[in-house]
Amino acid sequence: MALKQVSSNKCFEGFQKVFEHDSAELKCKMKFGIYLPPKAETGKCPVLYWLSGLTCTEQNFITKAGFHQAAAEHGLIVVAPDTSPRGCNIEGEDESWDFGTGAGFYVDATEDPWKTNYRMYSYIKDELPKLINANFPTDPERMSIFGHSMGGHGALILALKNPGKYKSVSAFAPICNPIQCQWGKKALGGYLGSDASKWEAYDATQLVKSYPDSHLDILIDQGKDDQFLSAGQLLPDNFIAACTERKIPVVFRLQQASRFCHPQFYFFIATFINDHIKHHAKYLNA
């Protein structure tokens, strides 16, 4: 599969690049950011996938999160894809900020007119890693995932639906129980249909209840004054309760900081990003 380099910038002795490619899963052109640490020039490196939240592109994380120095020090390749298909000319895809463009919710849609293009789950799980492993100096056996808000939801469900695929998982202010919140009900209902039982396959709180073992170390940072926490969109307590019942270790840190609305949440992410990089490096470099 051909890659077109869009940009390349030297950063902490490595390179932050952006590429574009034709996606077989999504039936459109997609962009992703990739940071190649200095170690990638001489050997294979583990890969850490970042999933962004609602309205974001591949640019938000690579320009605002401040992860490059820690990734360089730990020898981690960091991949940041877009959050949805783009330019598919589907009626209604640009009508709201929390559904359609920029809001793929990391599911494989089963409903018309979304099911042909909106297959972000399979894109992140299969197509993108195959593309990365085929074109960059990666160690395919060492892979982890993290994300923010909708992307935190994506990271959690990908790790929980694929035991052993990811060495570790973490999230900033994730949507933990989407079948119980308005964002989730809108997205899952639109992409998967009105049968709510089908939504559970993309709900971290439901998935953790049947996770087959306890070998998954989860780190979550949540801003105490986050307006979406108080509005009942994130529901981390439900997820923590389910993890506790299953004896799955989760470190949940309620921080004296707020995510608020776009674009202010990246101040929160930048404050704690080094902790998350270290969390993943502990498993990826073991």
Side-chain angles (χ1 to χ4, degrees), residues 100-281:
T101 301
F105 255 81
Y106 304 102
V107 304
D108 284 349
T110 56
E111 295 294 296
D112 289 324
W114 312 101
K115 65 183 182 182
T116 299
N117 304 99
Y118 278 69
R119 297 181 51 80
M120 287 299 292
Y121 175 77
S122 289
Y123 176 73
I124 300 298
K125 173 179 170 284
D126 298 317
E127 183 179 6
L128 185 60
K130 288 178 182 176
L131 186 69
I132 298 300
N133 294 336
N135 289 277
F136 301 99
T138 68
D139 180 349
E141 300 301 315
R142 292 187 292 159
M143 179 168 58
S144 288
I145 193 164
F146 67 153
H148 165 254
S149 189
M150 177 185 73
H153 144 78
L156 290 173
I157 65 168
L158 276 147
L160 292 167
K161 286 169 72 70
N162 300 279
K165 184 178 181 70
Y166 302 97
K167 298 295 184 183
S168 52
V169 60
S170 72
F172 295 84
I175 302 171
C176 291
N177 197 183
I179 66 173
Q180 298 291 344
C181 74
Q182 290 305 309
W183 277 343
K185 290 176 182 178
K186 179 177 180 177
L188 298 178
Y191 293 133
L192 304 177
S194 58
D195 183 354
S197 66
K198 295 179 180 178
W199 304 355
E200 295 182 0
Y202 294 102
D203 184 296
T205 298
Q206 294 299 315
L207 290 167
V208 80
K209 294 175 182 178
S210 59
Y211 192 72
D213 58 48
S214 60
H215 298 134
L216 184 65
D217 197 346
I218 304 169
L219 170 63
I220 296 175
D221 273 314
Q222 172 65 59
K224 181 180 178 182
D225 298 324
D226 186 333
Q227 67 189 60
F228 296 127
L229 177 65
S230 59
Q233 295 281 26
L234 307 178
L235 303 173
D237 290 347
N238 296 356
F239 180 70
I240 294 166
C243 288
T244 301
E245 185 174 338
R246 292 284 295 124
K247 295 183 171 56
I248 293 175
V250 54
V251 174
F252 178 78
R253 308 191 305 185
L254 191 62
Q255 303 287 4
Q256 299 297 318
S258 175
R259 182 184 65 176
F260 291 112
C261 294
H262 301 278
Q264 293 153 309
F265 57 81
Y266 269 99
F267 292 116
F268 174 54
I269 293 172
T271 301
F272 303 106
I273 192 68
N274 286 357
D275 291 348
H276 285 248
I277 296 289
K278 290 176 184 177
H279 169 76
H280 294 292

Side-chain angles (χ1 to χ4, degrees), residues 90-112:
I90 299 173
E91 184 177 357
E93 68 179 342
D94 296 322
E95 290 182 357
S96 60
W97 65 275
D98 56 357
F99 186 81
T101 301
F105 255 81
Y106 304 102
V107 304
D108 284 349
T110 56
E111 295 294 296
D112 289 324

Side-chain angles (χ1 to χ4, degrees), residues 12-52:
F12 290 99
E13 301 306 313
F15 286 92
Q16 175 61 59
K17 298 174 180 282
V18 174
F19 288 90
E20 183 180 72
H21 72 103
D22 291 313
S23 169
E25 280 288 356
L26 308 180
K27 308 293 191 298
C28 68
K29 291 187 180 298
M30 290 293 287
K31 291 180 181 178
F32 64 86
I34 183 168
Y35 179 66
L36 299 169
K39 187 178 177 181
E41 295 183 4
T42 58
K44 294 184 176 182
C45 300
V47 185
L48 179 55
Y49 287 87
W50 167 267
L51 304 183
S52 288

